Amino acid sequence: MSSSWNSVGLEVLYQVLGWVAFFAWSFSFYPQVILNYKRKSVVGLNFDFLVLNLTKHSSYLIYNAAMFFSPFIQRQYHDKYGDKEMIPVAANDVAFSLHAVALTAFTVFQVFIYERGIQKVSKVCISITAIVWTAAIVCLIIAWPKSDWLWLIDVFNSIQVGMTAIKYIPQAIMNFRRKSTIGWSIGNILLDLTGGVLNFGQMGVQSIDQHTLVNFYGNIGKTLLSLETVFFDVLFIIQHYVLYPAKKDENADDFPVLPIEVKHVAAQ
């Protein structure tokens, strides 16, 4: 028998934090989509980031959906961590992952229909993506005979952690080389940061109620996701507001990309 909440107040707070994080993270995709639409351009948005992000969210969706909906995997989780431990995936986690995959895929679609200059997906990114999905298929083949599905979805959870750790790096480097964040929506980052902080807070509330830290290492992917998100979002905020602040006539959120910016990128 799985554990239940000891405090109704903490349970309510857990749900509130989770769903507010869901909306913050979900809405964080829209500023970039809207910015691309207004500018009719994706110049400044790193394509490696998009590909790695799609792999990350697809892996996270597989983990969340399997853990949340499969009684068999939930039994394996309780066998490993104890019957009293709560399943570390909430409904908002599944909803977020599904929405994230859809919006990331739509942003990839925008790449094909809007101005993109000479930007393209790097060979390194293609290689990483191919290796990751090949490894996932191999793990599926290994897990199938023994029905070790908890181990398999933990692999996908590890993939999403790894992708989160590296997906922002190409964008951060691109901003550094261009000495500009034009084309990369700061609204996306502010909402993403909000979601990361609230997501970590949600796990903290569960730990306080259950008097255990199992949910932090039982779902290490969610824990690291929050920490990695906060780290990179703070980095992008520093780039946008401190290192490369936009000039008054270069408001990337309100105006189309300037011709000089396209030439600047093409020259690199």
Side-chain angles (χ1 to χ4, degrees):
M1 182 177 177
S2 61
S3 178
S4 59
W5 286 90
N6 297 310
S7 168
V8 174
L10 289 177
E11 181 180 7
V12 172
L13 179 59
Y14 175 86
Q15 295 294 339
V16 170
L17 289 177
W19 284 106
V20 174
F22 160 73
F23 284 112
W25 264 343
S26 296
F27 287 141
S28 72
F29 291 90
Y30 290 94
Q32 187 66 57
V33 169
I34 294 172
L35 179 61
N36 295 341
Y37 171 76
K38 285 182 176 181
R39 300 166 72 233
K40 298 297 186 293
S41 170
V42 291
V43 172
L45 173 61
N46 190 275
F47 297 169
D48 287 3
F49 164 77
L50 283 180
V51 173
L52 296 174
N53 204 28
L54 186 59
T55 297
K56 171 259 189 301
H57 286 304
S58 298
S59 301
Y60 199 36
L61 174 59
I62 292 172
Y63 172 82
N64 284 332
M67 178 67 81
F68 187 78
F69 290 113
S70 172
F72 184 80
I73 292 178
Q74 291 175 4
R75 284 197 299 271
Q76 290 186 334
Y77 181 86
H78 286 139
D79 288 342
K80 182 176 182 179
Y81 295 106
D83 290 340
K84 294 183 178 181
E85 297 303 328
M86 299 179 68
I87 297 301
V89 173
N92 63 273
D93 295 318
V94 181
F96 163 74
S97 294
L98 184 61
H99 180 270
V101 170
L103 264 293
T104 303
F106 182 78
T107 308
V108 171
F109 170 72
Q110 288 185 311
V111 169
F112 290 98
I113 64 174
Y114 292 144
E115 166 64 37
R116 57 181 179 273
I118 62 170
Q119 293 176 207
K120 59 182 180 180
V121 180
S122 72
K123 293 181 180 179
V124 173
C125 177
I126 294 173
S127 298
I128 291 174
T129 304
I131 291 172
V132 165
W133 285 111
T134 299
I137 293 173
V138 171
C139 290
L140 172 61
I141 295 173
I142 294 173
W144 193 291
K146 297 182 179 180
S147 297
D148 198 356
W149 304 124
L150 179 63
W151 172 77
L152 179 63
I153 67 168
D154 280 341
V155 169
F156 282 101
N157 204 13
S158 298
I159 289 174
Q160 75 91 9
V161 171
M163 290 297 100
T164 301
I166 67 174
K167 71 174 186 176
Y168 292 111
I169 295 176
Q171 185 68 57
I173 293 175
M174 184 176 184
N175 293 345
F176 171 76
R177 288 176 175 173
R178 298 169 67 232
K179 298 296 185 289
S180 171
T181 59
I182 293 178
W184 174 242
S185 175
I186 192 60
N188 167 22
I189 297 305
L190 296 176
L191 288 168
D192 194 44
L193 176 62
T194 300
V197 172
L198 293 177
N199 189 60
F200 195 80
Q202 184 189 34
M203 300 183 73
V205 168
Q206 182 176 335
S207 289
I208 293 172
D209 180 84
Q210 299 295 301
H211 308 292
T212 178
L213 296 176
V214 169
N215 67 299
F216 277 100
Y217 59 81
N219 189 356
I220 190 66
K222 187 175 181 179
T223 303
L224 293 178
L225 170 64
S226 298
L227 296 177
E228 291 169 346
T229 295
V230 170
F231 173 80
F232 280 103
D233 286 344
V234 170
L235 172 62
F236 286 124
I237 288 172
I238 292 174
Q239 284 187 324
H240 183 82
Y241 290 109
V242 180
L243 299 179
Y244 320 123
K247 299 178 181 178
K248 292 182 178 180
D249 59 344
E250 292 179 342
N251 188 331
D253 290 328
D254 296 328
F255 297 98
V257 61
L258 301 177
I260 189 173
E261 182 191 356
V262 177
K263 293 179 180 178
H264 176 69
V265 175
Q268 295 184 15

